[in-house]
Amino acid sequence: MIILGYLYRAYLFFRQGKFASKIRAASLRAFKAQVHPTAFISYGSRCFGPKGIEIGAHSFIGPHVNIVANDTTVKIGDNVLIAAGTKIIGRNHNYESKDKTIKDQGYVQAPIVIEDNVWIGYHVVILSGVTIGEGSIIAAGSVVTKDVGPYKIVGGIPARTLKER
């Protein structure tokens, strides 16, 4: 039985194609994630806290994308493209008290919203509390720490507006 479990996880993690994507989506739905039937989830992608995750229609989650929604929500709209290696992180360590170690202060979490028709480039990091407006483009390698307005093209560390679409 343990060997079957390992084989199943290996299949989910490494297998490519539409059928494997459907199995990954069904596995997320079994853990209370809201994944539209037409969403595509590539191999190697991982979701932490799936009951707080929504993935809209015709959205594409690229290979090795990590989505962290522990104790918060991550909402991905319709027709969103998320390239490989992207990290969507809905929580962060609390560090306000100087009297406690950081590891003993718990977490601060805030929802992340990625609206419809957004393109997120390779290896982008999106931090908690961010809303990315409809039709926006996030350049590869960017770190998004603040809201992005609709139809903006942003890039850099931290991400800033480069131009409008």
Side-chain angles (χ1 to χ4, degrees):
M1 201 62 172
I2 292 172
I3 292 172
L4 286 176
Y6 283 125
L7 290 174
Y8 176 72
R9 283 192 294 277
Y11 180 84
L12 283 180
F13 195 77
F14 295 111
R15 184 74 181 157
Q16 298 180 37
K18 203 174 213 179
F19 180 70
S21 170
K22 296 233 180 260
I23 291 175
R24 282 188 280 279
S27 294
L28 284 173
R29 281 192 289 275
F31 288 99
K32 307 295 185 219
Q34 296 177 26
V35 182
H36 194 277
T38 61
F40 188 93
I41 302 169
S42 295
Y43 63 93
S45 293
R46 297 169 23 170
C47 295
F48 303 92
K51 75 177 183 181
I53 297 173
E54 290 181 40
I55 302 173
H58 305 288
S59 288
F60 175 85
I61 309 297
H64 305 289
V65 170
N66 286 342
I67 302 172
V68 179
N70 296 344
D71 303 321
T72 189
T73 59
V74 173
K75 184 177 188 287
I76 299 169
D78 299 337
N79 300 301
V80 172
L81 300 174
I82 301 176
T86 293
K87 312 293 186 253
I88 302 170
I89 306 164
R91 75 176 187 178
N92 200 352
H93 288 278
N94 193 0
Y95 56 87
E96 297 300 320
S97 174
K98 294 178 185 175
D99 300 327
K100 293 182 184 178
T101 63
I102 290 175
K103 71 176 184 156
D104 292 330
Q105 293 186 51
Y107 297 97
V108 176
Q109 50 268 341
I112 295 173
V113 177
I114 302 170
E115 295 181 352
D116 298 342
N117 195 31
V118 170
W119 173 22
I120 298 171
Y122 279 91
H123 293 281
V124 168
V125 175
I126 301 170
L127 298 179
S128 63
V130 168
T131 297
I132 299 176
E134 180 179 358
S136 293
I137 299 171
I138 312 299
S142 298
V143 177
V144 183
T145 60
K146 296 180 182 165
D147 290 352
V148 175
Y151 300 99
K152 302 279 187 196
I153 300 174
V154 302
I157 302 172
R160 61 181 177 78
T161 301
L162 302 174
K163 65 183 198 175
E164 291 199 31
R165 286 183 59 204

